[in-house]
Amino acid sequence: MAGMLYLVPTPIGNLGDISQRCRETLEQADFIAAEDTRVSLKLLNHLGIKKSLVSYYEHNKAFKGEKIVARILAGETCALVSDAGSPAISDPGEDLVRLCHDAGITVCAIPGPCAVITALSISGQATGRFCFEGFLSTAKKSRREHLEALKTEQRTMIFYEAPHKLLNTLEDMAAAFGADRSISLCRELTKLHEEVVRTTLGEAVAKYTAEAPKGEFVLVVAGAPETKKEAATAEDAAARVSRLMEEGLSRKDAVKQTAAELDLPRNVVYSAALQEE
C-alpha cells in the first residue's frame, strides 16, 4: 500500500507558530525531506523530535525526487518541509508534488505560516485580488523584462527579495511602474524586529540608498491604476449598429448588442442608428 506526502509548513521566524498538527505530522512521518537538513534539524531539536532527514533542494531535486517517490510508493509516509513557510510555494517542492500526482500518490497540505499571506495582510495594500511573483531574477535584463511585463498588472503584486538585491530591485521597479507607485516593504516577519514600511517606490529607493537594508523582505506593490475607457458617442453607436446589420443581425439584435458593448442605453443607440439612415 502506498504512503503519502505531507506538506508541512514551518515557522517563518517565530518558532511558536508551529501548530500541533504540524508537530504531530512530523512525529508520525517515516522520514522528512528538507530543503536544508541543518535548518530543519534545529527545528526538530526544538520540538524534541528525532527523525530520518533527507535533503531535497533545487540542485538535487531531479535525482532525489525519484528516490522519495519510490519510498512513498513502497509504503512510507514523507513530510516535506522548506527552510521557512509553506513548502512548494516558490520552492522546489513544487516539482515533488507534481511527481507524486503523476505517480498517483496522495498529497496533503497542512495550513500554516506563509510569508506571502502574512505580508499581504499587514501591508495596507488592496487584498481582494493579488498575484505572487516570487523571487525576481538576479540578471538585470531578465529582472527588467519581468517587471516590464507587469507594467499594466492591476492586481496587488507580491515579491520576495534578499537584502543585498533590494536596492537594484527597487530601482528597476521604479523605472517600470513609476516612482510614485505605492509599496509596502515587509521585513523580518514574525521576528523581534518585524517592520512594515509603506511608502512609494521613489521614497523606498532614497531610504535604502541612505541605509543598508537588513533581513529578508516581502515586497507588496500596488497594482496599476485602472484605465478609464472613453465614453462611447452616438456616432460610435450608429457605426457599430450598421456594421452588425451588415454582418446579418437584425436591427433589434444589433441595437441590443451595441448597447451592451458600449455601455449605452438601448434607446440612445436606437435613436442614433435611425438618424444615420
Side-chain angles (χ1 to χ4, degrees):
M1 181 177 177
M4 286 179 61
L5 175 69
Y6 284 92
L7 307 182
V8 182
T10 55
I12 58 177
N14 190 322
L15 291 178
D17 290 337
I18 191 82
S19 73
Q20 183 62 32
R21 187 181 175 202
C22 287
R23 181 194 294 262
E24 290 173 355
T25 302
L26 292 173
E27 287 175 336
Q28 294 168 9
D30 292 302
F31 67 103
I32 297 171
E35 185 177 7
D36 187 327
T37 55
R38 296 165 299 181
V39 172
S40 297
L41 185 58
K42 291 178 183 178
L43 175 63
L44 294 178
N45 287 339
H46 171 77
L47 298 174
I49 297 173
K50 292 185 177 181
K51 194 66 59 173
S52 170
L53 282 166
V54 298
S55 65
Y56 177 82
Y57 56 95
E58 185 62 32
H59 300 296
N60 76 354
K61 64 183 182 182
F63 169 69
K64 284 295 184 71
E66 297 291 348
K67 285 185 169 292
I68 291 170
V69 166
R71 290 182 65 174
I72 297 173
L73 288 173
E76 293 187 82
T77 294
C78 173
L80 175 68
V81 298
S82 64
D83 288 350
S86 297
I89 304 299
S90 194
D91 174 270
E94 171 188 0
D95 296 273
L96 182 57
V97 170
R98 189 180 300 112
L99 284 175
C100 285
H101 280 299
D102 290 344
I105 293 169
T106 300
V107 179
C108 176
I110 300 176
C114 178
V116 176
I117 301 303
T118 302
L120 178 65
S121 65
I122 62 174
S123 67
Q125 305 292 347
T127 63
R129 297 176 67 235
F130 63 93
C131 58
F132 174 55
E133 296 295 323
F135 286 99
L136 289 165
S137 173
T138 55
K140 181 183 293 187
K141 185 174 183 292
S142 297
R143 183 171 64 245
R144 290 182 174 178
E145 287 175 350
H146 187 159
L147 294 172
E148 192 64 27
L150 294 170
K151 198 169 185 176
T152 59
E153 174 59 68
Q154 294 180 2
R155 294 172 295 179
T156 299
M157 298 170 284
I158 307 173
F159 304 83
Y160 286 159
E161 196 51 280
H164 66 280
K165 297 191 300 176
L166 180 68
L167 186 55
N168 287 336
T169 292
L170 292 174
E171 289 172 343
D172 288 344
M173 284 182 171
F177 305 147
D180 60 346
R181 182 76 68 92
S182 177
I183 180 174
S184 296
L185 299 99
C186 305
R187 184 178 73 89
E188 295 292 88
L189 291 171
T190 77
K191 299 178 183 177
L192 180 63
H193 299 293
E194 177 179 289
E195 177 185 41
V196 178
V197 177
R198 192 170 187 273
T199 183
T200 64
L201 284 168
E203 290 170 348
V205 169
K207 174 180 174 63
Y208 292 106
T209 297
E211 61 183 73
K214 296 179 181 179
E216 298 298 317
F217 285 79
V218 181
L219 309 178
V220 186
V221 184
E226 186 175 355
T227 53
K228 293 183 178 180
K229 295 188 294 185
E230 290 187 15
T233 64
E235 290 78 10
D236 295 330
R240 181 59 177 154
V241 169
S242 178
R243 284 196 297 273
L244 290 173
M245 290 179 66
E246 289 173 0
E247 293 172 7
L249 266 66
S250 66
R251 184 192 304 277
K252 179 181 178 182
D253 288 340
V255 167
K256 181 180 179 181
Q257 182 171 325
T258 299
E261 288 178 355
L262 302 184
D263 194 25
L264 289 172
R266 199 176 300 184
N267 64 324
V268 171
V269 176
Y270 185 76
S271 297
L274 287 180
Q275 290 174 12
E276 283 294 305
E277 291 186 348

